[in-house]
C-alpha cells in the first residue's frame, strides 16, 4: 500500500516569497492533516480536513498560510509571504477517518522549508 | 487543553541495554495515546498506540508501552536496544470525535556501541 506522498521534499526561498506544498494521502483516507514541525519541537497541527471540508484550522496563521483540499483527495498548503520563522518541516498525514473513531494517523516524509 | 510532556530531551544508552522513555499527558477524558519514531530526514512512523483495553500494548521493533491512568503516563520501553533504534521519539495524545493529535517535544535517543 502506498504511503502519504509529499512534494517537494526540500525548498529554499527568500523571505517574502511564496511556496506551495502538495500532498497525496493514502487511497481512501478521508481525513487529511497538515502539521508544522520546527527544529527541536514536536509537530503542531495547522489544519485538518474531513473529505474536502475544514474541521480544525485554529492554529493556521491565516494571514499568510492557506490550504485547500479540492475533491477531497490531494491537498495543497501555501505560504505567502514567507517569514524566517516559517522555516520548518511541513508534514502531511492522513487517516481513514477521525482520530476519535479509533483511526491511526499515517505521516508522509515531510517537506523541508528553509526561508533565508 | 490537552498536552504532552516528555521530560527527557536526550537519552544515551549502550547497545543491548534496556530503555525507558517517559511520557506524561494531560487530557480531560480517556485519551488515545501514541508513540511515533522519527529518523533523521524522515517522517513519523507509528510504533504503537493505545485506544482502550489492555494497558500494556505491544508495538513494532520490540517496543512496548504501559498506560497508567493514575500517573497520567504512557512510558515506552524496550528490553534490549539496537544501534538502529537511534532516532527521535515522540509521544502524542488525542481524543474522541475530531480531537486533534498533540505531540510532546520529543526525546532524542543515542545508542553507543
Amino acid at each position: 500500500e502506498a504511503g502519504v506522498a509529499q512534494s517537494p521534499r526540500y525548498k529554499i526561498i527568500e523571505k517574502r516569497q511564496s511556496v506551495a506544498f502538495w500532498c497525496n494521502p493514502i487511497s481512501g483516507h478521508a481525513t487529511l492533516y497538515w502539521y508544522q514541525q520546527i527544529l527541536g519541537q514536536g509537530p503542531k497541527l495547522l489544519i485538518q480536513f474531513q473529505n474536502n471540508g475544514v474541521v480544525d484550522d485554529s492554529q493556521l496563521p491565516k494571514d499568510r498560510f492557506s490550504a485547500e483540499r479540492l475533491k477531497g483527495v490531494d491537498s495543497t498548503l501555501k505560504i505567502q509571504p514567507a517569514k524566517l520563522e516559517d522555516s520548518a518541516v511541513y508534514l502531511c498525514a492522513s487517516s481513514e477517518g477521525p482520530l476519535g473513531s479509533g483511526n491511526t494517523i499515517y505521516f508522509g516524509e515531510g517537506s523541508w522549508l528553509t526561508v533565508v | 487543553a490537552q498536552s504532552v510532556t516528555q521530560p527527557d530531551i536526550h537519552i544515551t544508552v549502550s547497545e543491548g541495554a534496556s530503555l525507558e522513555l517517559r511520557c506524561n499527558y494531560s487530557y480531560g477524558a480517556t485519551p488515545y495515546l501514541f508513540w511515533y519514531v522519527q529518523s533523521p530526514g524522515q517522517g513519523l512512523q507509528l510504533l504503537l498506540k493505545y485506544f482502550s483495553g489492555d494497558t500494556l500494548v505491544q508495538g513494532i521493533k520490540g517496543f512496548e508501552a504501559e498506560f497508567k491512568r493514575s500517573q497520567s503516563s504512557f512510558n515506552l520501553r524496550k528490553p534490549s536496544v539496537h544501534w538502529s533504534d537511534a532516532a527521535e521519539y515522540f509521544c502524542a495524545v488525542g481524543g474522541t470525535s475530531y480531537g486533534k493529535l498533540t505531540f510532546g517535544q520529543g526525546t532524542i535517543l543515542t545508542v553507543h556501541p
Side-chain angles (χ1 to χ4, degrees):
Chain A
E1 177 181 89
V4 177
Q6 293 188 242
S7 68
R9 288 294 315 279
Y10 305 95
K11 192 75 175 179
I12 301 175
I13 62 172
E14 295 182 350
K15 59 183 178 183
R16 292 187 290 274
Q17 286 187 326
S18 63
V19 64
F21 301 113
W22 171 84
C23 173
N24 181 236
I26 294 173
S27 178
H29 281 196
T31 310
L32 185 145
Y33 314 78
W34 283 102
Y35 280 81
Q36 180 192 56
Q37 185 179 17
I38 293 172
L39 187 65
Q41 299 180 19
K44 180 186 78 172
L45 179 69
L46 291 176
I47 189 167
Q48 176 180 341
F49 292 94
Q50 182 66 21
N51 296 308
N52 59 352
V54 175
V55 173
D56 185 345
D57 63 356
S58 58
Q59 298 192 91
L60 186 74
K62 299 179 184 65
D63 58 333
R64 298 182 299 104
F65 286 65
S66 64
E68 60 182 10
R69 191 184 185 197
L70 300 176
K71 302 180 181 179
V73 182
D74 294 5
S75 178
T76 302
L77 176 70
K78 297 179 181 178
I79 307 174
Q80 181 179 15
K83 292 185 175 181
L84 297 177
E85 58 261 37
D86 298 332
S87 295
V89 181
Y90 292 87
L91 295 163
C92 181
S94 70
S95 58
E96 286 190 45
L99 180 66
S101 300
N103 293 291
T104 297
I105 299 176
Y106 298 92
F107 285 81
E109 292 189 324
S111 292
W112 295 65
L113 174 66
T114 301
V115 182
V116 298
Chain B
Q2 60 198 53
S3 66
V4 176
T5 300
Q6 293 180 245
D8 305 304
I9 295 175
H10 195 173
I11 283 184
T12 300
V13 300
S14 297
E15 191 169 17
S18 63
L19 172 69
E20 181 169 28
L21 302 183
R22 296 183 291 164
C23 171
N24 293 99
Y25 69 89
S26 173
Y27 189 74
T30 299
Y32 296 157
L33 294 160
F34 305 80
W35 276 98
Y36 284 86
V37 61
Q38 186 176 38
S39 297
Q42 302 298 312
L44 296 163
Q45 181 184 21
L46 180 68
L47 283 177
L48 47 78
K49 61 187 179 185
Y50 171 79
F51 284 161
S52 64
D54 193 346
T55 56
L56 184 63
V57 294
Q58 303 297 322
I60 62 171
K61 304 183 180 186
F63 286 92
E64 67 178 24
E66 186 171 12
F67 170 53
K68 293 185 177 180
R69 184 189 303 275
S70 61
Q71 298 177 22
S72 297
S73 69
F74 189 57
N75 294 348
L76 182 71
R77 300 193 294 251
K78 187 170 184 178
S80 178
V81 171
H82 188 262
W83 64 266
S84 61
D85 293 325
E88 189 161 17
Y89 292 79
F90 292 93
C91 180
V93 65
T96 58
S97 187
Y98 291 99
K100 63 186 178 184
L101 200 59
T102 298
F103 286 84
Q105 71 175 70
T107 297
I108 298 171
L109 174 66
T110 298
V111 181
H112 280 167

